[in-house]
Amino acid sequence: MDNIKGYYLMPHPPILVEEIGKEYLSEIKQTYNGCCRIAEEISEIRPKTIVIITPHGQVFDDAIAVYMEENAYGDLGHFGYDNININKKYNIKLSQDIIDGCKEEGIHVVQIDNDSADMYDIYCEIDHGTFVPLYFIEKYYKDYNIVQINYGFMNKFELYKAGMII
């Protein structure tokens, strides 16, 4: 646990993004300010890698999904704002370590890259559950890479073990 510098649970509705929720920001000000405080704290920690477990994107019934492309890209095009985007690098080594650790423990894991995305007819990009927290972090800190994981609809014990591996 020496390498874990912090952990956070963040809301991620796209309405929190200023360009999308502009007329509603006064109604969600406390949530918006809370996201800013978390992002500021992360900027003070200065992590080299941010691991995000997201409930959106590609969720499998029997496996967690770990993204393994070199470049991580996402935008809010699904919400009509493809001009709002984020480009990061994935931490391939840490992602592979997580995959290997899960396999050693018998936890099913799917490696998501462009080839597997084509095979499963899914997309290989940052989903909004990852995008919105990164949007806030990017306001204060940019020098990090990411690991993006989608949990699966597996039993709680397997998910707990995967969390311990992470």
Side-chain angles (χ1 to χ4, degrees):
M1 285 265 286
D2 292 336
N3 293 328
I4 296 175
K5 306 291 185 198
Y7 48 91
Y8 306 89
L9 182 63
M10 288 185 73
H12 49 268
I15 197 170
L16 284 167
V17 174
E18 292 171 60
E19 296 88 340
I20 295 175
K22 48 188 155 227
E23 69 244 31
Y24 302 104
L25 288 180
S26 62
E27 297 174 38
I28 57 173
K29 189 134 186 85
Q30 287 183 317
T31 303
Y32 179 89
N33 289 341
C35 290
C36 288
R37 280 192 298 278
I38 289 171
E40 284 181 87
E41 186 174 317
I42 290 169
S43 76
E44 292 168 8
I45 296 169
R46 305 186 66 72
K48 293 177 184 171
T49 298
I50 296 175
V51 176
I52 297 185
I53 301 171
T54 172
H56 299 283
Q58 312 317 313
V59 179
F60 293 91
D61 286 338
D62 60 349
I64 64 169
V66 179
Y67 289 71
M68 289 290 289
E69 278 299 316
E70 184 177 332
N71 296 304
Y73 173 82
D75 62 43
L76 294 176
H78 294 297
F79 303 93
Y81 292 87
D82 58 356
N83 61 317
I84 305 170
N85 56 65
I86 291 176
N87 286 291
K88 299 306 293 179
K89 296 278 187 194
Y90 284 116
N91 182 330
I92 297 298
K93 181 181 179 338
L94 181 56
S95 296
Q96 188 63 57
D97 289 347
I98 292 168
I99 289 169
D100 293 344
C102 286
K103 287 180 177 178
E104 285 174 21
E105 291 295 321
I107 299 167
H108 294 110
V109 60
V110 175
Q111 179 176 313
I112 302 295
D113 55 28
N114 287 326
D115 291 335
S116 64
D118 287 344
M119 182 177 74
Y120 289 113
D121 195 26
I122 58 176
Y123 58 89
C124 181
E125 58 185 50
I126 295 171
D127 64 61
H128 80 274
T130 298
F131 187 98
V132 173
L134 293 181
Y135 169 86
F136 284 93
I137 295 165
E138 287 286 308
K139 291 173 172 283
Y140 300 93
Y141 180 60
K142 296 182 184 297
D143 190 23
Y144 63 93
N145 52 33
I146 67 170
V147 170
Q148 180 177 326
I149 299 171
N150 295 92
Y151 67 78
F153 293 119
M154 302 149 50
N155 75 55
K156 293 175 187 173
F157 183 67
E158 284 182 302
L159 292 173
Y160 172 79
K161 285 186 355 184
M164 295 305 293
I165 291 163
I166 295 165

